[in-house]
Amino acid sequence: MISRRTGLAATAAALLTGASGPAAKAAAPHRADRIGGRLQSDVDAILATGATGVLAEVQSAHGRTTARAGTAGLRTPHHPVPWDSSYRIGSDTKTFTATLALQLAGEGRLALTDTVERWLPGAVRGNGNDGRRITIANLLRQTSGLNDYLAVSPDAADAFTPDGYRRARFRPTTPENQLKAALSRPPLWVPDAEHPARERRWGYSNTNYVLASLIIEQVTGNPWAQEIHDRIIEPLGLRRTFTPGTSPYLPRPTATAYTWFPGCARPTDTTLAFGGGADGSVISTTHDHGVFLRALMSGRLLRPAQLSAMKETVVAEDWVAAPGVRYGLGIAWRPVAGSDGGIWFHGGTHLGIVSESGVTPDGARAATSATFTLRMGDPAQDAQNLAALRLVDRALTG
């Protein structure tokens, strides 16, 4: 759930090597020659930036094509990345959370123009923060002006070190503590008092989705995780997708997630980690994630009015790597050469994992990828990100 904008490029560590060899390339079990060859080439290109392991899938009504490269772990260089590996999708979780809120809006149980104050009285106050001037639409569109709790937490600097990671990996944080950290600073701005939902200023903040989950729980009377399961995971048959709660473990099969922390000469195995909540905790696979994205854009999860609302965007000026990005309600859009309608995506980053994906506007085609390497503060991470974006773009426009 690390920020998908400037924070990732500004924080990420050194080029990983040694991922070549017998396990670096493996034939995919679901593969049309032309499409599969191109996908394999693009997966290999991500590996060539220094990643340890990569997994990708393209799916449509005609079937799915998969590709992989690299190893399941540096200690087992001859073991390839397992097919259908589990991984933390990070901030791609936000699209799930926004979908829940929009389903409730479609049922008339909440309105996007409802303020935070209406559902969580007194929760957003102090230091100039004001929940009376922040709507649910502001939360989902990242236009609230609230600080990102990850950036302003007193433990933020320590969290991005090997020792800090080891101390925190079994220590879950609560939404209340996350909100307390965010409200300890004045907001970046406060939406207009008369028409807060029309706010156009944009700033990525995980705090927005912490609040969105608390509102969902207030509206439904159920935990956010239960709503995710009952409304999305079970109806779509996502057998390998779940919310881990406070558990830091990943189910098998999976690959080792490596993080190069700033100033470190060696990568740290960050496979064990507390995943957060509605802002970044969902665990899934490339296949399940693609099924979700296609169902969302094809209208299986939202009514037409709510899907249309999800696609109402504002300019996201400081989004990393991809120019022209516009952010909607829990999902973003970017122009892509060869595609008249562009593509919808989000992207997610967790310690040792980068999830990059995209879906066509009609849901006909989706591309998903997981790269099991994160390098904080290293230009090589930018090259990895660009290669992953290129994979998605080519898969959806080819």
Side-chain angles (χ1 to χ4, degrees):
M1 60 192 164
I2 296 169
S3 172
R4 293 298 297 168
R5 52 190 187 103
T6 52
L8 177 58
T11 53
L15 181 65
L16 279 170
T17 57
S20 60
K25 298 181 181 180
H30 310 279
R31 184 167 169 176
D33 289 343
R34 181 177 62 83
I35 297 173
R38 182 171 57 204
L39 184 63
Q40 186 65 57
S41 175
D42 290 339
V43 163
D44 292 341
I46 298 174
L47 189 76
T49 68
T52 56
V54 187
L55 192 62
E57 177 168 322
V58 180
Q59 59 180 261
S60 69
H62 302 294
R64 64 178 179 140
T65 303
T66 57
R68 63 180 176 179
T71 69
L74 296 177
R75 294 183 179 180
T76 55
H78 299 292
H79 294 178
V81 176
W83 295 114
D84 218 24
S85 287
S86 294
Y87 60 97
R88 294 181 177 87
I89 67 173
S91 284
D92 276 315
T93 298
K94 291 178 173 66
T95 311
F96 285 73
T97 300
T99 300
L100 289 184
L102 285 163
Q103 286 181 344
L104 294 172
E107 295 164 9
R109 301 176 68 180
L110 60 77
L112 295 176
T113 54
D114 288 347
T115 64
V116 173
E117 182 72 12
R118 173 176 177 179
W119 292 104
L120 305 171
V124 178
R125 295 286 180 87
N127 293 315
N129 296 283
D130 191 348
R132 296 168 298 182
R133 291 174 57 178
I134 298 172
T135 68
I136 294 173
N138 293 134
L139 298 178
L140 301 180
R141 196 173 281 121
Q142 307 275 19
T143 58
S144 72
L146 291 170
N147 281 290
D148 188 342
Y149 74 84
L150 284 175
V152 301
S153 168
D155 301 324
D158 181 63
F160 295 109
T161 66
D163 288 343
Y165 154 72
R166 294 187 183 98
R167 282 192 293 270
R169 58 186 171 169
F170 288 98
R171 297 179 182 175
T173 58
T174 65
E176 291 74 21
N177 286 338
Q178 293 165 339
L179 188 56
K180 180 180 178 180
L183 299 180
S184 68
R185 305 279 185 89
L188 302 177
W189 65 81
V190 179
D192 179 73
E194 294 296 323
H195 302 288
R198 298 180 187 176
E199 179 62 57
R200 312 303 288 177
R201 287 171 291 184
W202 184 87
Y204 195 97
S205 174
N206 288 286
T207 308
N208 290 322
Y209 279 76
V210 173
L211 284 165
S213 71
L214 293 175
I215 291 173
I216 289 168
E217 292 180 349
Q218 187 69 19
V219 172
T220 64
N222 297 320
W224 164 83
Q226 180 178 334
E227 292 296 318
I228 285 281
H229 178 85
D230 292 349
R231 290 173 171 270
I232 297 176
I233 293 174
E234 186 171 3
L236 293 181
L238 307 182
R239 303 302 181 195
R240 299 290 310 285
T241 300
F242 65 98
T243 55
T246 59
S247 173
Y249 296 98
L250 278 170
R252 294 180 181 275
T254 189
T256 304
Y258 291 104
T259 300
W260 291 76
F261 289 104
C264 294
R266 292 175 174 272
T268 299
D269 178 348
T270 53
T271 308
L272 289 179
F274 170 64
D279 54 329
S281 70
V282 167
I283 292 171
S284 191
T285 64
T286 52
H287 179 67
D288 274 12
H289 191 195
V291 170
F292 165 70
L293 290 173
R294 292 188 62 223
L296 177 62
M297 285 294 128
S298 64
R300 290 177 59 193
L301 293 174
L302 294 176
R303 300 176 184 183
Q306 280 66 53
L307 184 56
S308 177
M310 177 177 258
K311 294 181 176 182
E312 293 177 10
T313 62
V314 296
V315 175
E317 293 182 349
D318 57 353
W319 197 276
V320 170
V325 171
R326 299 183 64 89
Y327 199 92
L329 301 181
I331 200 163
W333 176 91
R334 70 173 184 266
V336 174
S339 171
D340 292 338
I343 68 168
W344 292 92
F345 74 107
H346 197 285
T349 304
H350 209 284
L351 289 175
I353 291 289
V354 179
S355 168
E356 201 64 69
S357 61
V359 61
T360 55
D362 59 359
R365 194 174 182 87
T368 50
S369 70
T371 303
F372 293 85
T373 305
L374 177 66
R375 289 160 291 192
M376 294 184 169
D378 193 312
Q381 184 63 46
D382 294 336
Q384 177 184 306
N385 294 341
L386 287 170
L389 287 170
R390 184 171 184 266
L391 178 151
V392 172
D393 292 351
R394 280 164 47 96
L396 297 183
T397 61

